[in-house]
Amino acid sequence: MKKRYLLIAALLSLTLVYPASNYFTPSDEAVSPYISMTKADSLEYAFASWSERHVANGGDKNVVMSLGWSKGLSVEHTYAKGKARLDLIDGKVQVEVEGLADSEISEVWLVDNLNDSSVLPETEDNYLHVGTLVSEGDRAVLSADVGNAFGMFEVDLIVVSRAGQAPVESRVLVGSSSLMQRMYTRVRSGRVPFEGQEPGTVLAALGALGTQPVFASDLVPSFDPLIEQGADLFFNETFAGNGRTCGTCHPAEHNFTIDPEFIATLPDDDPLFVAEFVPALMSNFEKPELMRKVGLILENTDGFGDLANSFTMRGVPHTLAMGNALTPGADGTTTPPDERTGWSGDGSPGSGTLREFAIGAVTQHFPQTLGRTPNVDFRLPTDAELDAMEAFQLFLGRQDELDLSTLALSSEVAARGQEIFVAADSVGGTVAAGKCNTCHFNGGANFALTGGFENRNFNTGVEDLPDQPADLVDAANNPPDGGFGRVPNPNGGFGDGSFNTPVIVEAADTGPFFHNNSVETVEGAVAFYNSDAFNNSPIGQFLVSVDSGGVGIDLEATQVVAVGAFLRVINALENNRSANETATFVKDVNDFATAQSLLGLAFAEVEDAIEVLDGGGLHPAAVKDLKAAKTSLEIAAITGIPFFRDLFIDIALDFIEDADQDILA
Ligand code: HEC
Ligand code: HEC
């Protein structure tokens, strides 16, 4: 014990000489770290289990892709949507589209984007005309045999175009498949899973298996090179646009999100602010006052047809722990989206996958002018780039769900908060029922009542909150947000009023909260569930109706704080896990600058843990340990000799471990 305090004293005296801020300069340096930190085998496991499920569902004889309007690829807007079922083994294609107002929109094409060309269909790409949709009541259908075309042809896109026009000119409905599907098909047909990948092991193992389907985990390719490329694109690639990158709004050093406090640290010429200094982007691109004061970004969720009137203002969600929060619920609203992304769960264009999200994000946020013409105002990513960005995003953050049935916390207040979080009925239990676990199962984003695998949408009434900061600042530029879909909403917006359930292990350090940044503190977000806005909402009323005592969610002030304490503590534990993972990784890094910026990220995580605990008056002993861990990381970061650097990293890891021990019972 004594020795340790001596050490802390020594460390502290050093910090006086070397203040942290000099060593962890954000932006430029913080962009590179993840490029080298790709040791996690998490995606390999995800791929193996995906493959097993896929084979159980029929494998490549049954590849289903949704079709929809694509912000970025469609040349005209439509509310129609559909599904394509591909049998890649026997060469069969079935398509079904609903809601097509115009029978001229009828030609179904498959597109194989040739190397290095953008995801946009271009003249030099390969095309397969599958056939013409035939009207059948309110649907249009097609069933076609394409022989052995799939042997040579990689399906990058499926496009429905106008009669007599090829996908180069006309694209109305568009869809593509996910990274996992693409990898699987490549491995199965003996192709290299992605550029830069060593074919060796995969192909050798494939040869040994002959023509059997491939899903054994020893055939799983290493995703490392792909994640590396994805990180580079995410932080550095401007896609020939206005200078923004994905990292502009999703910076690594700030939990992949931005808020007014962070925005205030940026220089005025930061590309986040293009709407303030690029003449072509000064109107209808962003609302600068709402960006600076409330952290809101303009989204044309219903298309670019009426820029002056058709938009919503949304907070920037972090992009952490998305792997377990993408599977849509079987609630009849999912053809598309195939995956839930964005605040309303329909953020992605086309099939609605995380992979296609980047097409919409570039088109929305990167243009040089509001004409938004590809190859003029920006370039669209290539297929290889979409694959890499999806891999990188899946790799970020927590890969596993917590298990709240076994998690034991030492803080009495946080432990009670956990009980309230889980309790589901107002009668019969020993604590107040917060019912949070119903929708945020184990602190994630999935619905408990259907087994905890479905990421559902709900109308929780956030839009009905009075006095939202954005309205107080600039109500005229904050139109109602209708949430999911595009049906006219009684509130004046478009959508069915529902929003997608976000993960909340990562919430406490990523406020403000909800899709419109309407609540600043985590306790305020918990208290929202006591409000009339929530209890009168459709899902609030449902919870009342299924409760034995006929009560919705009704927590006293102490109980709100207890649930807040629980959210703070699980957030700190996740910060510590992440800091540990990053700092441990640095022990294998030789390059000084890389080590330094990675340690900067570990440092930022520890700092977040301190803030969320301190902010709730929680775990003073753990906070003390974490401050010492921070100091050790600072010193490690300025230590050039790896042997000594590792010593300081080990000291930091010990302190983090001690903090965890204080937090856990
Ligand atoms: C100007 C700011 C900005 C930029 C630049 C930006 N995003 Fe976002 N991002 C947002 C906002 C705002 C949302 C919420 C959108 C919504 O709800 O419709 C979002 C949502 C997301 C989501 C959904 C996260 C979730 O939890 O569902 C993903 C994934 C994402 N962005 C990826 C990207 C990628 C990839 C890029 C770069 C190609 C990018 N973003 C560039 C602001 C930005
Ligand atoms: C009926 C489902 C449901 C229940 C019950 C529920 N939530 Fe939520 N939660 C949601 C949805 C949907 C959102 C997104 C709402 C929006 O942004 O409009 C959300 C958002 C949140 C957020 C904001 C996250 C962020 O990153 O902005 C927090 C925090 C949160 N919930 C905590 C809780 C707590 C604590 C409870 C229990 C007291 C709870 N939730 C109960 C569905 C639910």
Side-chain angles (χ1 to χ4, degrees), residues 90-105:
D90 292 335
K92 301 218 159 47
V93 179
Q94 281 174 302
V95 182
E96 191 181 317
V97 180
E98 279 170 30
L100 266 185
D102 185 345
S103 62
E104 289 283 290
I105 301 169

Side-chain angles (χ1 to χ4, degrees), residues 264-275:
T265 65
L266 300 173
D268 282 346
D269 61 355
D270 188 278
L272 180 64
F273 305 125
V274 281

Side-chain angles (χ1 to χ4, degrees), residues 244-246 249-250 299 314-315 317 341-343 354 357 365 393:
R244 290 171 164 186
T245 66
C246 307
C249 294
H250 303 288
E299 294 280 352
R314 291 191 174 176
T341 56
W343 284 111
L354 176 60
F357 198 99
H365 303 301
Q393 292 178 85

Side-chain angles (χ1 to χ4, degrees), residues 266-333:
L266 300 173
D268 282 346
D269 61 355
D270 188 278
L272 180 64
F273 305 125
V274 281
E276 294 176 14
F277 57 79
V278 175
L281 299 174
M282 279 183 179
S283 65
N284 299 332
F285 184 62
E286 297 284 5
K287 302 293 171 192
E289 202 183 8
L290 287 175
M291 177 189 282
R292 288 202 183 254
K293 289 189 178 166
V294 197
L296 296 174
I297 300 292
L298 187 148
E299 294 280 352
N300 299 100
T301 38
D302 299 306
F304 298 114
D306 181 6
L307 294 179
N309 300 303
S310 178
F311 63 92
T312 56
M313 299 305 301
R314 291 191 174 176
V316 179
H318 62 72
T319 50
L320 297 166
M322 277 193 291
N324 291 316
L326 291 170
T327 310
D331 55 7
T333 60

Side-chain angles (χ1 to χ4, degrees), residues 418-495:
Q418 178 176 354
E419 288 172 337
I420 297 172
F421 186 93
V422 175
D425 198 276
S426 74
V427 176
T430 50
V431 295
K435 308 183 181 181
C436 319
N437 208 46
T438 313
C439 301
H440 300 286
F441 189 55
N442 283 323
N446 293 337
F447 193 51
L449 303 185
T450 50
F453 299 108
E454 293 182 0
N455 183 212
R456 291 233 164 187
N457 265 37
F458 298 101
N459 181 348
T460 57
V462 170
E463 277 290 302
D464 299 332
L465 282 172
D467 296 329
Q468 295 177 25
D471 284 335
L472 302 179
V473 169
D474 187 2
N477 280 318
N478 186 39
D481 189 334
F484 181 91
R486 304 193 174 88
V487 294
N489 187 289
N491 76 4
F494 288 88

Side-chain angles (χ1 to χ4, degrees), residues 4 55 105 124 152 158 198 341 356 405 469 606 610 620 662:
R4 160 175 288 185
V55 169
I105 301 169
E124 63 272 20
M152 311 291 294
I158 175 160
E198 282 297 324
T341 56
E356 282 159 273
S405 67
V606 175
I610 294 172
D662 183 51

